[in-house]
Amino acid sequence: MKIVDAKVIVTCPGRNFVTIKIITEDGIYGIGDATLNGRELAVASYLADHLIPCLIGRDAGQIEDIWQFFYRGAYWRGGPVGMTALAAIDVALWDIKAKAANMPLYQLLGGRSRSGVMVYGHANGNTVEETVEEVGRYIDMGYKAIRAQTGVPGLASTYGVSKDKLFYEPADADLPTENEWDTARYLEHVPTLFRTLRDTYGYDRHLLHDVHHRLTPIEAGRLGKDLEPFRLFWLEDAVSAELQEGFRLIRQHTTTPLAVGEVFASIHNCHQLITEQLIDYIRTTIVHGGGISHIRRIAHLAELYHVRTGFHGATDLSPITMGAALHFDTWVPNFGIQEYMRHTPETDEVFPHDYTFEDGYLIVGDTPGHGVDINEELAAKYEYERAYLPVNRLSDGTMFNW
């Protein structure tokens, strides 16, 4: 299956997506997601100018060799731009191989380990009362697991709280929006949210919360301890994880399960966290972690240390990544949960797919490949629009983690 053509498609059906399409001499094509929120064109250029020229003429079936060629062959290896581009190629090649075998991708990986993939949705509100109401709406929709975020009194805006409650998009401006952050107010307020949620709905549903890298390890330990009575499914991204050993301090102070890794680009970013059992869920996503070939290595390492997968699944990942992730989730033995933020109808029209939501689970179809396609004619109607994620400052003006 010689590769005869490949191209990059940039489209913006409400938000920007980058897609690679790889075509073989047999007429079989595969598509991969190359979206990196706020840096989309950097990945598009890396693919078009540096990787695609090296793809033409290669055997599309040699997925591992191609992965190693682009990883080991790049002296300046790794990083979010490079690994996102490599992931796009890798997923497209797995799509081709599964189509050539006339089987859904999960069968090529090893078959089903479960009938459906439990997912969690995002409930949020400006106040505790609004968030409680939104959680109830997700329960009514059938979700068994719900992430809950609320506004913090005294702050004009808070991560995870949006006007649109179903299609949250944080990249909100042509230049970065500057938000204000106050750790003390946040730490005081969050336990109130989860106490109210448990008083209202009991313990029949899983509840999750995302800190978004805004605490120090000792602050995270305090929050985790304060939340223990409410039995969270996980506390996500409590601290910035560049200092992996910082999680040791958190572990000393709380038994609340910890999840991290959506910004990781390789197994090296999470090696210590996994081997020292400092986390419970690894969230590195297929699109930013080098594709199926590399994420599979992370999952196997995690399995040895009782760490489960909990892939990132926000709206800045196209349905291609969601489709590939669901096939991976359906197979991987140490699956934990899958984030699921619904895409807009415009996005779903550009990327038709065969996965469906049923009673708190996403179910993959049996279409050969990863089950997601792209309508190129429709995609061409949505031109790229520059958009940045916000930035954060403390009340005294100091730059902080967003």
Side-chain angles (χ1 to χ4, degrees), residues 339-358:
E339 181 178 19
Y340 175 46
M341 290 186 70
R342 294 168 184 251
H343 290 103
T344 63
E346 293 81 5
T347 295
D348 286 337
E349 289 175 1
V350 171
F351 298 97
H353 52 267
D354 69 355
Y355 58 81
T356 56
F357 178 81
E358 297 179 19

Side-chain angles (χ1 to χ4, degrees), residues 112 115-120 138-145 326 340 342 354-366:
R112 286 186 181 271
S115 58
V117 172
M118 185 171 71
V119 299
Y120 70 90
Y138 274 86
I139 291 173
D140 291 343
M141 291 166 64
Y143 284 83
K144 302 183 185 306
L326 291 173
Y340 175 46
R342 294 168 184 251
D354 69 355
Y355 58 81
T356 56
F357 178 81
E358 297 179 19
D359 193 29
Y361 295 86
L362 281 176
I363 313 297
V364 294
D366 284 323

Side-chain angles (χ1 to χ4, degrees), residues 165-342:
K165 301 305 180 187
L166 202 56
F167 310 114
Y168 174 54
E169 173 51 61
D172 61 355
D174 183 59
L175 292 173
T177 302
E178 296 196 7
N179 294 336
E180 182 184 349
W181 177 250
D182 188 308
T183 299
R185 290 181 178 180
Y186 168 78
L187 289 175
E188 186 69 26
H189 189 60
V190 170
T192 301
L193 169 64
F194 286 95
R195 182 181 301 108
T196 306
L197 285 170
R198 287 307 189 195
D199 287 346
T200 304
Y201 300 114
Y203 289 79
D204 290 341
R205 296 296 190 278
H206 299 300
L207 296 178
L208 305 83
H209 182 67
D210 185 1
V211 182
H212 224 243
H213 314 107
R214 300 184 182 198
L215 302 178
T216 64
I218 196 65
E219 290 167 345
R222 171 188 161 190
L223 178 60
K225 188 172 183 178
D226 288 345
L227 294 175
E228 283 178 11
F230 315 119
R231 299 184 184 178
L232 267 63
F233 187 92
W234 77 33
L235 185 65
E236 177 187 342
D237 291 346
V239 303
S240 179
E242 285 96 342
L243 182 66
Q244 296 187 34
E245 64 194 56
F247 276 73
R248 294 177 189 162
L249 187 57
I250 307 174
R251 281 293 208 210
Q252 292 172 14
H253 293 280
T254 184
T255 58
T256 295
L258 303 174
V260 76
E262 69 183 53
V263 301
F264 292 171
S266 89
I267 196 170
H268 306 293
N269 298 132
C270 55
H271 180 267
Q272 183 178 8
L273 291 169
I274 291 172
T275 58
E276 293 190 18
Q277 295 178 273
L278 301 178
I279 58 174
D280 302 280
Y281 297 90
I282 182 66
R283 289 189 30 78
T284 310
T285 180
I286 285 173
V287 68
H288 298 147
I292 292 169
S293 297
H294 193 63
I295 291 295
R296 187 164 58 172
R297 295 183 178 95
I298 294 176
H300 284 322
L301 175 65
E303 183 184 10
L304 296 177
Y305 294 92
H306 306 286
V307 175
R308 297 178 180 179
T309 64
F311 291 162
H312 181 56
T315 49
D316 61 341
L317 313 180
S318 89
I320 298 170
T321 289
M322 181 58 70
L326 291 173
H327 280 268
F328 193 98
D329 295 336
T330 298
W331 156 75
V332 70
N334 53 320
F335 170 74
I337 200 168
Q338 170 68 54
E339 181 178 19
Y340 175 46
M341 290 186 70
R342 294 168 184 251

Side-chain angles (χ1 to χ4, degrees), residues 150-162:
T150 186
V152 176
L155 298 182
S157 62
T158 306
Y159 167 77
V161 178
S162 63

